[in-house]
C-alpha cells in the first residue's frame, strides 16, 4: 500500500504550493523586467501569437508555413535572451524557477515518482510513524549481540540470551525481507532485553522501503482509541481540524501497512482496551495487514489479561519471539 490516501494528498498539496509559489515569483520577475525593458513585453506577445499560428499550421498540414513560423519563434527567443543578458539578467529570468528541475514540482517524471517525491515520502513516513529520527540510531546495522550473555541458559528454552537474541534478529530480518506477506510477530520477554529496539529495527527497514508504519506505545494506542470513541466526536467545543486529526490517527491504526504496538502490558488494560485490541488484531488479520506487538507479559499472563479469545487469535496468527537476559540499558551504562 505504501502511502495512505491522506499521506499522498498531503504530498501533492506540497507540490501544488510549490507550483503556485513559482508562478507568483515568475509573474513578479516578468513585471519587473517588462518595466525595465519594454521590448520584452512586445516579444512575449509576439511569441504567444506565433505559437497560436504554429498550432493552426500544424492542424492544417501546412508544412512550409510551420517551418517559417518556427524560424520567427526561434528568432524572438534569441532576441529575448540577448536583451536579458545585455541588461544584466539571467537568460532564464522570465521562466518559472522550480524547486525540482527534474519534475518541475509535479512529483513525477515519465509517470514515475521523482527523486524529490521519494524524499518527501520518506520524510512523511518517518514523521507519521511516531518515531521521528530515532531509527537512524536504532536499526539492524546497530543491533548489538554482544550485550547478551552466552554463559547462562534459559531453562524453558534451553537457549542462552544471546542465542535467543540471534534467533529474534533472524526472525525480524526474515519478516521485513518477505514483507508484505501478512505475517505478524509477538515479541515477549523481560524488561530491557531489546524488544523495543528490535521493533525500531523493523520499522526503520520498512519505512526506508516506503511502507507506511504506525508505531504506538500501548499508552498512545489506548489514548487514541479513547479520544476517538469518547472524546472528540462528542465534544461540541472541539474544533473540526482536531476532530479530523483524531479520526485520521484512528483510521491509520487499521489502514497502515504495519502497525507496531510496543510495551503492551497490564497497567492500562480495561474492558474497553481489551475489546478494542481484539478488534484491531482481528480486522488487520482479516485484511491481510501485518502487526508487531511487544510485551513484558509472559504468555500465561498475556492470556489472563487479554482473554482466551484474544490469546487464541494471537497464537493462531502470530510468530512468537522470546527474548531474555539482563537489562541492556544497565549493561550499557556499566560498560561506559
Amino acid at each position: 500500500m505504501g502511502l495512505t490516501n491522506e499521506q499522498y494528498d498531503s504530498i501533492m498539496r506540497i507540490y501544488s504550493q510549490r507550483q503556485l509559489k513559482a508562478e507568483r515569483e515568475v509573474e513578479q520577475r516578468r513585471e519587473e523586467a517588462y518595466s525595465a525593458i519594454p521590448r520584452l513585453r512586445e516579444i512575449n506577445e509576439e511569441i504567444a501569437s506565433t505559437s497560436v499560428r504554429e498550432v493552426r499550421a500544424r492542424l492544417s498540414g501546412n508544412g512550409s508555413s510551420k517551418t517559417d513560423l518556427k524560424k520567427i519563434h526561434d528568432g524572438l527567443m534569441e532576441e529575448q535572451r540577448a536583451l536579458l543578458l545585455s541588461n544584466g539578467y539571467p537568460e532564464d529570468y522570465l521562466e518559472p524557477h522550480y524547486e525540482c528541475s527534474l519534475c518541475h514540482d509535479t512529483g513525477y517524471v515519465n509517470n514515475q515518482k521523482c527523486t524529490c517525491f521519494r524524499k518527501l515520502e520518506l520524510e512523511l513516513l518517518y514523521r507519521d510513524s511516531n518515531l521521528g529520527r530515532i531509527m537512524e540510531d536504532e536499526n539492524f546495522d546497530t543491533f548489538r549481540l554482544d550485550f547478551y550473555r552466552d554463559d547462562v541458559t534459559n531453562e524453558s528454552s534451553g537457549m542462552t540470551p544471546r542465542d535467543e537474541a540471534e534467533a529474534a534478529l533472524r526472525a525480524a530480518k526474515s519478516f521485513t525481507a518477505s514483507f508484505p506477506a501478512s505475517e505478524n510477530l509477538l515479541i515477549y520477554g523481560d524488561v530491557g532485553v531489546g524488544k523495543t529496539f528490535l521493533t525500531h529495527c523493523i520499522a526503520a527497514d520498512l519505512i526506508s522501503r516506503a511502507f507506511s508504519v504506525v508505531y504506538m506505545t500501548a499508552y498512545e494506542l489506548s489514548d487514541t482509541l479513547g479520544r476517538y470513541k469518547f472524546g472528540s466526536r462528542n465534544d461540541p467545543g472541539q474544533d473540526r481540524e482536531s476532530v479530523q486529526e483524531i479520526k485520521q490517527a484512528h483510521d491509520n491504526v487499521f489502514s497502515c501497512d504495519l502497525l507496531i504496538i510496543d510495551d503492551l502490558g497490564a497497567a492500562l488494560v480495561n474492558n474497553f482496551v481489551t475489546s478494542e485490541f481484539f478488534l484491531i488484531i482481528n480486522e488487520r488479520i482479516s485484511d491481510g495487514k501485518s502487526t508487531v506487538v511487544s510485551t513484558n507479559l509472559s504468555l500465561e499472563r498475556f492470556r489472563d489479561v487479554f482473554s482466551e479469545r484474544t490469546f487464541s487469535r494471537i497464537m493462531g496468527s502470530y510468530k512468537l519471539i522470546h527474548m531474555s537476559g539482563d537489562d541492556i540499558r544497565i549493561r550499557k551504562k556499566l560498560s561506559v
Side-chain angles (χ1 to χ4, degrees):
M1 181 184 115
L3 295 174
T4 63
N5 289 337
E6 179 68 20
Q7 289 171 325
Y8 180 83
D9 290 344
S10 177
I11 288 179
M12 295 314 295
R13 281 195 294 272
I14 291 174
Y15 280 117
S16 188
Q17 291 166 359
R18 289 181 178 180
Q19 291 175 31
L20 287 173
K21 178 174 178 286
E23 290 171 7
R24 286 196 301 268
E25 290 177 347
V26 74
E27 282 304 316
Q28 292 173 354
R29 292 197 303 273
R30 284 172 180 165
E31 287 305 315
E32 176 198 344
Y34 292 164
S35 177
I37 314 169
R39 172 57 184 157
L40 287 175
R41 187 187 297 275
E42 296 174 359
I43 291 174
N44 180 66
E45 293 171 353
E46 291 175 21
I47 288 174
S49 175
T50 303
S51 296
V52 171
R53 292 161 61 194
E54 278 188 274
V55 172
R56 289 175 178 168
R58 187 179 302 111
L59 293 175
S60 66
N62 190 336
S64 59
S65 178
K66 185 172 64 174
T67 301
D68 293 339
L69 289 170
K70 186 179 184 308
K71 289 180 180 178
I72 294 173
H73 179 275
D74 292 347
L76 289 168
M77 291 297 295
E78 177 57 31
E79 183 184 357
Q80 175 182 275
R81 188 185 75 84
L83 278 172
L84 287 169
L85 292 175
S86 64
N87 284 273
Y89 292 99
E91 60 182 278
D92 65 345
Y93 195 71
L94 302 182
E95 300 300 322
H97 294 170
Y98 299 106
E99 288 194 32
C100 179
S101 59
L102 296 176
C103 70
H104 290 177
D105 293 342
T106 64
Y108 286 84
V109 178
N110 297 325
N111 294 321
Q112 299 294 320
K113 289 179 182 177
C114 183
T115 54
C116 66
F117 189 105
R118 169 73 170 171
K119 182 175 182 293
L120 286 172
E121 187 175 37
L122 290 178
E123 288 175 354
L124 185 61
L125 290 168
Y126 270 107
R127 187 200 73 190
D128 285 0
S129 71
N130 291 338
L131 285 174
R133 291 293 174 179
I134 193 172
M135 291 173 288
E136 293 181 354
D137 299 319
E138 299 188 9
N139 52 66
F140 285 134
D141 291 334
T142 60
F143 189 96
R144 290 177 55 182
L145 292 169
D146 56 322
F147 284 120
Y148 296 88
R149 295 178 61 179
D150 59 3
D151 58 346
V152 294
T153 302
N154 186 311
E155 291 184 4
S156 61
S157 68
M159 301 170 68
T160 66
R162 178 158 182 153
D163 291 336
E164 288 190 324
E166 288 178 338
L169 185 59
R170 285 196 301 272
K173 287 183 174 180
S174 175
F175 174 83
T176 59
S178 61
F179 196 88
S182 301
E183 295 179 343
N184 307 284
L185 303 178
L186 175 65
I187 308 171
Y188 68 105
D190 296 332
V191 174
V193 294
K195 302 184 301 298
T196 294
F197 197 114
L198 194 61
T199 63
H200 291 171
C201 295
I202 292 169
D205 185 90
L206 294 181
I207 288 176
S208 71
R209 290 157 53 197
F211 288 106
S212 60
V213 177
V214 169
Y215 177 100
M216 287 183 165
T217 64
Y219 175 82
E220 290 169 337
L221 178 63
S222 176
D223 181 63
T224 297
L225 297 174
R227 290 171 67 196
Y228 176 75
K229 187 145 192 174
F230 304 116
S232 61
R233 295 183 300 168
N234 302 315
D235 182 359
Q238 186 78 267
D239 65 86
R240 182 176 179 180
E241 184 175 350
S242 296
V243 171
Q244 183 59 36
E245 288 177 358
I246 293 170
K247 181 181 184 302
Q248 188 61 51
H250 175 270
D251 293 349
N252 286 345
V253 167
F254 294 89
S255 64
C256 62
D257 294 327
L258 175 65
L259 172 66
I260 298 177
I261 305 173
D262 188 40
D263 198 22
L264 189 63
L268 299 169
V269 174
N270 52 43
N271 289 336
F272 168 70
V273 171
T274 55
S275 175
E276 290 295 303
F277 178 64
F278 177 79
L279 175 66
I280 290 168
I281 64 169
N282 194 55
E283 284 205 15
R284 289 186 62 83
I285 290 171
S286 298
D287 292 342
K289 294 183 178 299
S290 296
T291 307
V292 172
V293 177
S294 77
T295 180
N296 298 329
L297 301 174
S298 66
L299 295 181
E300 293 77 11
R301 181 64 176 144
F302 190 94
R303 179 191 58 205
D304 294 341
V305 169
F306 289 97
S307 79
E308 188 70 43
R309 179 180 68 161
T310 300
F311 184 69
S312 176
R313 200 74 169 105
I314 291 284
M315 294 299 289
S317 304
Y318 280 61
K319 179 181 179 63
L320 305 183
I321 299 176
H322 184 255
M323 300 181 75
S324 63
D326 301 326
D327 191 321
I328 293 176
R329 287 164 292 196
I330 295 176
R331 297 201 68 179
K332 283 182 177 179
K333 288 182 179 179
L334 293 176
S335 66
V336 175

